[in-house]
Amino acid sequence: MRPSLFEFAGGEPAFLALARAHHARCLADPELNHPFSHPDQHPQHVERLAAYWAEVMGGPARYSESCGDHSGVLVMHAGNGDMSDLGRRFVDCFVHAADDADLPGDPEFRAALRAYMEWAVGQVLSYPVTGTVPGGLPMPHWSWDGLRP
């Protein structure tokens, strides 16, 4: 049986490294810098992001147990109007951050990560107006084959 994406990546340390690398890349990007440099950003933003991605990829339910559900994540990012170029840039930062974090270079693994982030960005972009996100959406769970029901 294949390990989860979480296990294959290297567990919680790998996702923390990924979140740190992604955050650094977004701060360095001239277009993405603004949303990632807000003074009111949660002080544990990177750790929470790592916990969210880890849970989505098959890790422990740390994010949903302490921070909220998928609806809360979408609400946090909804209402920004058309951000299609930012979405593309965000995915590019994520893909390159996987290199920075020394995640496994296995092509199937990297394809699964990219597919997840493209899906996740599509989710955010589907709510261009604040207040349209339905409540109680469960955490998504991503596998080697994509979104699990």
Side-chain angles (χ1 to χ4, degrees):
M1 176 179 249
R2 234 178 176 172
S4 68
L5 294 168
F6 170 78
E7 293 164 335
F8 190 84
E12 290 177 345
F15 281 93
L16 184 55
L18 177 61
R20 285 181 177 143
H22 183 260
H23 188 78
R25 280 192 171 269
C26 289
L27 283 173
D29 183 283
E31 299 296 322
L32 290 173
N33 175 278
H34 177 69
F36 281 83
S37 60
H38 282 226
D40 62 342
Q41 191 172 65
H42 192 282
Q44 267 78 47
H45 170 73
V46 171
E47 292 81 5
R48 290 163 53 121
L49 180 60
Y52 180 81
W53 286 341
E55 183 172 344
V56 167
M57 299 292 172
R62 297 197 201 296
Y63 186 89
S64 59
E65 288 173 357
S66 63
C67 300
D69 61 11
H70 188 53
S71 293
V73 171
L74 291 174
V75 166
M76 241 187 299
H77 297 93
N80 293 306
D82 180 23
M83 300 187 324
S84 53
D85 186 51
L86 288 182
R88 181 193 56 77
R89 294 174 87 100
F90 189 85
V91 170
D92 287 346
C93 284
F94 181 78
V95 167
H96 293 298
D99 291 330
D100 299 342
D102 292 324
L103 267 59
D106 177 81
E108 284 184 78
F109 173 71
R110 291 301 183 95
L113 288 181
R114 176 185 279 278
Y116 160 71
M117 190 51 69
E118 289 172 346
W119 173 85
V121 166
Q123 284 273 292
V124 169
L125 295 178
S126 72
Y127 297 103
V129 180
T130 303
T132 60
V133 177
L137 292 174
M139 287 292 286
H141 294 286
W142 203 262
S143 74
W144 293 90
D145 300 317
L147 186 64
R148 292 187 321 193

